[in-house]
């Protein structure tokens, strides 16, 4: 089973961006998945096919491709473009009908860049219409990123998309924790939240997925991060839109805070229409 049939790995060929194999084999275990390795040149001179830099990039991309072939992936494609990285990756994703984007965050350097509004990862998180997997370079990460999954939900349809993914990948999923954070002290819906979360847990258990739920009170991003750290979660899934989102910046405040501060990998789910 495979939730994604065509994925695009955006790589700047740094060590971290060529080391996302664990995420790929976890989320896309089917070797028939088409994998697109995309690199964007920001300098037109570097993109000249006869230049030394271009040939060095192609060699690295081919090595990356060869490593994926050893993992069992057979449908591999290398693409390059020139221009603004986020814009070009977005274009390549749309033109190749990719349904998942992989990108690396580059740790503290990413945080500084994101705050300054100069991060490809941050820009992609805001603009992508597809789910986006963000590798946070956690040295303690296990080979299977689905060994301990934290699904953050506000009960909107967009925040529950990850349930379909873990169901399809149930043979690789170890444990799932559903978390709902009550931020409003006047919210009296604790019992309703508990009832709904238990229904979701029971549904996952019907698919032989070990699951539980937690309800916390406080600032959503802080409680999600704390829970992920306390429970040693390998990946957090959440909707990218929510509180604080706007037409100018569609990334919600919770997703933005997790991008900047979470230690483990993230899977940001795009907006969908609620029933």
């Amino acid at each position: 089973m495979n939730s994604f049939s065509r994925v695009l790995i955006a790589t700047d060929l740094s060590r971290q961006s060529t080391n996302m194999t664990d995420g790929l084999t976890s989320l896309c275990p089917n070797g028939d998945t088409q994998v697109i390795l995309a690199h964007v040149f920001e300098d037109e001179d570097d993109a000249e096919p006869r230049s030394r830099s271009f040939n060095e990039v192609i060699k690295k991309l081919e090595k990356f491709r060869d490593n994926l072939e050893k993992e069992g992936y057979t449908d591999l494609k290398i693409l390059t473009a020139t221009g603004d990285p986020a814009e070009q990756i977005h274009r390549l994703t749309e033109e190749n009908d990719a349904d998942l984007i992989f990108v690396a965050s580059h740790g503290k350097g990413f945080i500084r860049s994101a705050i300054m509004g100069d991060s490809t990862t941050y820009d992609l998180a805001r603009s992508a219409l597809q789910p986006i997997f963000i590798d946070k370079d956690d040295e303690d990460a296990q080979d299977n990123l689905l060994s301990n999954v934290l699904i953050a939900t506000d009960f909107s349809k967009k925040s529950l998309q990850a349930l379909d993914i873990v169901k399809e990948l149930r043979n690789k999923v170890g444990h799932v924790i559903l978390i709902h954070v009550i931020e409003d002290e006047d919210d009296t819906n604790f019992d309703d939240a508990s009832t709904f979360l238990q229904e979701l847990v029971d549904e996952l258990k019907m698919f032989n997925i070990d699951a539980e739920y937690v309800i916390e009170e406080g600032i959503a991003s802080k409680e999600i991060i704390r829970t992920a750290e306390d429970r040693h979660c390998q990946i957090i899934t959440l909707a990218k839109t929510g509180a604080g989102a706007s037409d100018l910046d569609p990334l919600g405040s919770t997703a933005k805070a997790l991008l900047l501060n979470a230690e483990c990998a993230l899977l940001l789910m795009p907006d969908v229409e609620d029933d």
Side-chain angles (χ1 to χ4, degrees):
M1 292 186 178
N2 198 2
S3 298
F4 307 104
S5 60
R6 187 175 293 109
V7 303
L8 183 142
I9 298 180
T11 176
D12 60 5
L13 298 175
S14 61
R15 180 197 61 81
Q16 185 184 354
S17 70
T18 56
N19 193 32
M20 291 188 281
T21 307
D22 290 346
L24 182 63
T25 56
S26 295
L27 294 175
C28 307
N30 190 337
D32 292 334
T33 302
Q34 184 181 62
V35 182
I36 301 164
L37 302 178
H39 176 80
V40 179
F41 294 95
E42 295 185 72
D43 191 320
E44 291 185 1
D45 291 337
D46 290 338
E48 170 58 47
R50 290 173 294 183
S51 70
R52 178 178 178 181
S53 58
F54 180 86
N55 286 290
E56 288 178 348
V57 164
I58 294 300
K59 287 180 181 179
K60 291 180 180 179
L61 288 171
E62 289 174 342
K63 182 178 180 181
F64 193 178
R65 179 196 61 196
D66 294 344
N67 289 337
L68 293 180
E69 283 183 343
K70 293 177 183 178
E71 293 291 336
Y73 295 95
T74 58
D75 191 352
L76 298 159
K77 181 191 294 186
I78 292 175
L79 294 177
T80 62
T82 306
D84 176 78
E87 291 179 2
Q88 293 302 315
I89 291 168
H90 181 76
R91 178 182 65 80
L92 291 173
T93 300
E94 294 294 315
E95 289 181 355
N96 290 275
D97 198 26
D99 48 22
L100 176 64
I101 302 171
F102 279 74
V103 67
S105 71
H106 300 296
K108 294 181 179 179
F110 159 72
I111 294 175
R112 288 194 294 269
S113 295
I115 291 174
M116 297 299 293
D118 186 32
S119 164
T120 298
T121 303
Y122 190 70
D123 289 342
L124 273 175
R126 290 187 295 179
S127 63
L129 302 177
Q130 300 78 12
I132 177 169
F133 171 81
I134 301 168
D135 186 359
K136 300 301 286 284
D137 198 22
D138 185 352
E139 294 182 357
D140 295 326
Q142 300 176 16
D143 289 342
N144 180 16
L145 289 177
L146 300 180
S147 60
N148 203 13
V149 181
L150 183 64
I151 299 178
T153 179
D154 58 5
F155 304 135
S156 62
K157 185 177 179 180
K158 57 196 173 189
S159 70
L160 294 173
Q161 294 177 82
L163 291 176
D164 291 332
I165 295 174
V166 297
K167 288 175 189 175
E168 289 196 25
L169 298 172
R170 55 187 176 273
N171 292 333
K172 294 185 71 69
V173 174
H175 183 67
V176 172
I177 303 170
L178 291 157
I179 181 171
H180 174 69
V181 181
I182 298 175
E183 293 189 289
D184 188 349
E185 294 181 356
D186 296 327
D187 192 335
T188 58
N189 294 323
F190 182 91
D191 290 340
D192 290 341
S194 179
T195 298
F196 187 56
L197 286 167
Q198 185 60 56
E199 290 177 356
L200 296 176
V201 166
D202 292 341
E203 182 180 340
L204 290 173
K205 288 183 176 179
M206 290 175 63
F207 285 82
N208 295 318
I209 298 173
D210 184 33
E212 64 177 302
Y213 74 85
V214 295
I215 299 176
E216 302 291 351
E217 295 183 23
I219 299 173
S221 58
K222 290 185 178 180
E223 293 304 320
I224 292 169
I225 291 172
R226 181 185 61 78
T227 300
E229 292 176 349
D230 290 348
R231 304 296 289 273
H232 305 291
C233 295
Q234 299 296 315
I235 185 171
I236 303 171
T237 77
L238 73 157
K240 75 172 190 176
T241 56
S246 66
D247 291 339
L248 185 62
D249 187 354
L251 199 63
S253 58
T254 300
K256 190 180 299 184
L258 264 65
L259 268 172
L260 298 178
N261 300 305
E263 295 291 335
C264 64
L266 300 177
L267 180 61
L268 291 183
M269 307 305 295
D271 202 2
V272 293
E273 292 185 5
D274 283 316
D275 294 333

